[in-house]
Amino acid sequence: MNDKPTMKKTIKAILYLIPALLIIGTFSFYPIIKSFFMSFYTDYDYFKDLVFARGLDNYIFIFQDPEFWKSIQNTMIFVIGVVPLSIIISLVIATFLNQKIKFRGLFRTIYFIPFVTSVVAVSIVWRWIFHSQYGVLNYALGFLGISPIKWLSDPDWAMPSLIILAIWKGLGYNIIIFLSGLQNIDKQYYLAARIDGAGAWERFKNITVPLLSSTTFFISIVSIINSFKVFDEVFALFGGQPGPAGSAETIVYYIYNKFYGEWNFGVASAAAYVLLFIIFIFTLIQLYVGKKKVNY
Amino acid sequence: MQKEALSKGFIYLLLILGSLLMLLPFIWMISTSLKAANEVMIMPPKWIPTDIQWGNYIKAWFSAPFAMYSVNSVIVLVASTIGELITTILAAYAFSRINFYGRDIIFSILLGTMMVPGEVLLIPNFVTLSNLGWIDHYQALIVPWLASVFSIFLLRQFFLSIPKELSFAAKIDGCSDFRFLWSVMVPLAKPALITIAILKAIGSWNAFMWPLIVTSSENMRTLPVGLIAFSTDTGTKYELLMAASSMIILPMIILYIVLQKYIMEGVARAGIKG
């Protein structure tokens, strides 16, 4: 059977593709372009689609807005707080789960549970755990002689609270990806290392870590990108506020607030494009390094 | 050998400790949800309620329109999952079995849109839906989510692994492409389709930002949005808040435990393929 594209096949394909392309075109592709243009609208009426003036004002505004810089800074703190810790913990747990142990399936199931639960509902549970007076966390810390921390009402502790919640929530996902990476490592390496008398730590350091580098890299990029987009946790943990005194305002919260709180669509679009740009850079790094790493 | 047993013990210890940390928030949630009001705000905290208060669930259920929120969440979940399955099956078939002009370009563009964070799409989509008059209607909650590039990608990969000879044989027997897709390919792709459906269902049930923005009246809210409103109104009645949270969290945990094979597979595959 010859398999060359023909007009007839193209028409047939279009019929199959129409439903998906209509939705993706309208709600993904068009808005990517539209919001780029919107970020330059400085005087406009969106609902009538009238634009009276364009310019760089929105970008100038956000780059001069201390609140925007604060949101970038908070988001960076969040990324730095969540990603490395989460990766180290999940790698260790995944390595343990990859041993010959009993109840492996059960452990895996448990670690993944938070991932399938509603961020909003779980954040409200954590709000109760973080309660400064009656929360179990402060109670537990009391045994270590730590006096009660005002997790959610002290501006210094708002980000750590958010980071703890995010690590807890995302651990299971990383563990699953690490496990599938670990299963691709040839058991022969470990066998050979054992015969040579290498201990558990040496095997981990010299076999697991290097052979898992592409998985680790993938998880890092995905975690960084997802962490840049944190919003639901902030909203639910601090009851709709970006933390006490704006101390947990993230980029997406800033976008949300400019858009839905102040109805300033132009500024919100500009901020959204800055976020897109940051994520785009990480995606490029992933594609570039990812291609290089395929062939070992 | 002794050293080996010791390290095994150490591994178990850490794994069990870790599992406890994963589970404690849920245990604490359920424990609080079953307490009498005067047992909630006490120090030291009590893990097992003296008197189990199932009534908290009924009380929470009726202190806000949770029945309405649940109906909305279920409608959105069912409609968007079925819709996405249909658009995905059709599109994945075209991309995997029909060689048409521009196929690779269109497919790359689709993959490209996957990298764009949803937050960038928020504002234009809000305007589009306002102009359509769909804000605060089911359409706004459902229609934008009726197709997903990720699902198309996943199913296309699966379709590609089904031998082409199968379709040649069917054609000789006089079976049309469309019938072949639904009566041969779809049943064969059942595992992939379940994975897609379950990931979609979880995502839809837990979605927050989009329903928050496109709903304004109380009776259009989905569960997560309703829960936030409830938490603002209830303040510090944690036994009711925890009961309400359980009602949102537990259905997905049950679904996950029943169908976890498919979820793990989907997550792992998405991870490997990037």
Side-chain angles (χ1 to χ4, degrees), chain A residues 83-197:
Chain A
V83 178
L85 257 179
S86 175
I87 286 178
I88 293 167
I89 299 171
S90 51
L91 177 58
V92 170
I93 295 174
T95 316
F96 286 170
L97 286 178
N98 203 37
Q99 311 289 316
K100 274 201 202 95
I101 55 158
K102 284 183 189 117
F103 309 115
R104 186 166 142 191
L106 179 69
F107 281 125
R108 209 179 54 169
T109 306
I110 291 172
Y111 283 105
F112 198 71
I113 287 178
F115 194 78
V116 302
T117 57
S118 151
V119 177
V120 169
V122 143
S123 300
I124 286 175
V125 173
W126 276 89
R127 215 197 273 177
W128 174 220
I129 291 170
F130 282 133
H131 196 284
S132 56
Q133 218 178 335
Y134 300 108
V136 271
L137 186 57
N138 274 346
Y139 173 71
L141 290 176
F143 287 112
L144 303 174
I146 297 168
S147 50
I149 294 167
K150 289 197 164 98
W151 292 100
L152 302 179
S153 53
D154 180 342
D156 290 338
W157 285 99
M159 286 310 292
S161 309
L162 201 60
I163 289 167
I164 292 172
L165 166 61
I167 292 178
W168 174 82
K169 182 89 169 67
L171 217 50
Y173 174 83
N174 292 351
I175 292 173
I176 298 301
I177 311 270
F178 268 133
L179 266 176
S180 68
L182 283 169
Q183 263 137 34
N184 287 336
I185 297 179
D186 196 337
K187 297 279 174 293
Q188 302 273 341
Y189 291 124
Y190 292 105
L191 218 65
R194 263 169 193 269
I195 292 165
D196 291 345

Side-chain angles (χ1 to χ4, degrees), chain B residues 87-130:
Chain B
T87 60
T88 303
I89 289 168
L90 294 173
Y93 182 76
F95 281 124
S96 62
R97 285 302 155 97
I98 307 172
N99 200 355
F100 56 97
Y101 292 117
R103 182 181 68 182
D104 297 341
I105 298 169
I106 296 176
F107 195 65
S108 323
I109 293 174
L110 285 187
L111 288 183
T113 62
M114 225 159 63
M115 294 161 192
V116 176
E119 290 70 22
V120 173
L121 319 176
L122 218 55
I123 301 164
N125 280 344
F126 182 80
V127 175
T128 304
L129 292 173
S130 306

Side-chain angles (χ1 to χ4, degrees), chain B residues 143-253:
Chain B
V143 177
W145 306 103
L146 286 180
S148 140
V149 176
F150 170 69
S151 304
I152 294 172
F153 178 74
L154 209 68
L155 190 61
R156 171 186 170 265
Q157 299 302 98
F158 199 92
F159 276 174
L160 285 175
S161 71
I162 297 173
K164 277 207 165 146
E165 286 72 21
L166 224 56
S167 68
F168 300 153
K171 266 193 190 142
I172 291 163
D173 289 346
C175 180
S176 75
D177 269 20
F178 195 69
R179 243 192 68 205
F180 172 73
L181 167 62
W182 292 97
S183 56
V184 179
M185 298 277 270
V186 168
L188 281 175
K190 215 169 109 194
L193 290 170
I194 295 175
T195 299
I196 290 168
I198 180 87
L199 291 177
K200 174 74 173 189
I202 293 172
S204 166
W205 184 263
N206 295 338
F208 175 65
M209 197 185 196
W210 183 252
L212 174 73
I213 281 167
V214 298
T215 59
S216 49
S217 60
E218 191 175 48
N219 55 15
M220 282 310 297
R221 284 177 189 153
T222 57
L223 279 169
V225 181
L227 179 66
I228 285 285
F230 179 65
S231 81
T232 320
D233 300 339
T234 324
T236 53
K237 285 188 196 129
Y238 281 103
E239 70 283 8
L240 298 185
L241 260 179
M242 292 305 113
S245 300
S246 310
M247 293 190 291
I248 298 180
I249 288 173
L250 294 178
M252 284 304 121
I253 294 188

Side-chain angles (χ1 to χ4, degrees), chain B residues 4-68:
Chain B
E4 200 89 318
L6 207 73
S7 70
K8 266 271 154 69
F10 177 69
I11 287 177
Y12 278 115
L13 186 73
L14 280 181
L15 282 177
I16 291 168
L17 260 171
S19 311
L20 270 178
L21 286 177
M22 288 289 121
L23 288 178
L24 276 179
F26 298 114
I27 296 169
W28 183 233
M29 167 184 85
I30 292 167
S31 150
T32 307
S33 75
L34 294 171
K35 281 179 188 168
N38 61 2
E39 265 190 325
V40 176
M41 296 272 204
I42 51 165
M43 264 301 159
K46 222 173 172 167
W47 285 92
I48 298 161
T50 21
D51 200 13
I52 301 231
Q53 304 282 325
W54 292 107
N56 285 343
Y57 281 81
I58 298 163
K59 217 163 156 188
W61 180 261
F62 287 109
S63 13
F66 276 111
M68 182 84 89

Side-chain angles (χ1 to χ4, degrees), chain A residues 23 26-27 30 47 259, chain B residues 121-145 210-211 213-215:
Chain A
I23 300 289
T26 314
F27 295 106
Y30 161 78
F47 297 102
F259 160 46
Chain B
L121 319 176
L122 218 55
I123 301 164
N125 280 344
F126 182 80
V127 175
T128 304
L129 292 173
S130 306
N131 289 333
L132 287 168
W134 286 359
I135 294 293
D136 214 26
H137 288 87
Y138 283 122
Q139 292 97 304
L141 291 165
I142 298 166
V143 177
W145 306 103
W210 183 252
I213 281 167
V214 298
T215 59

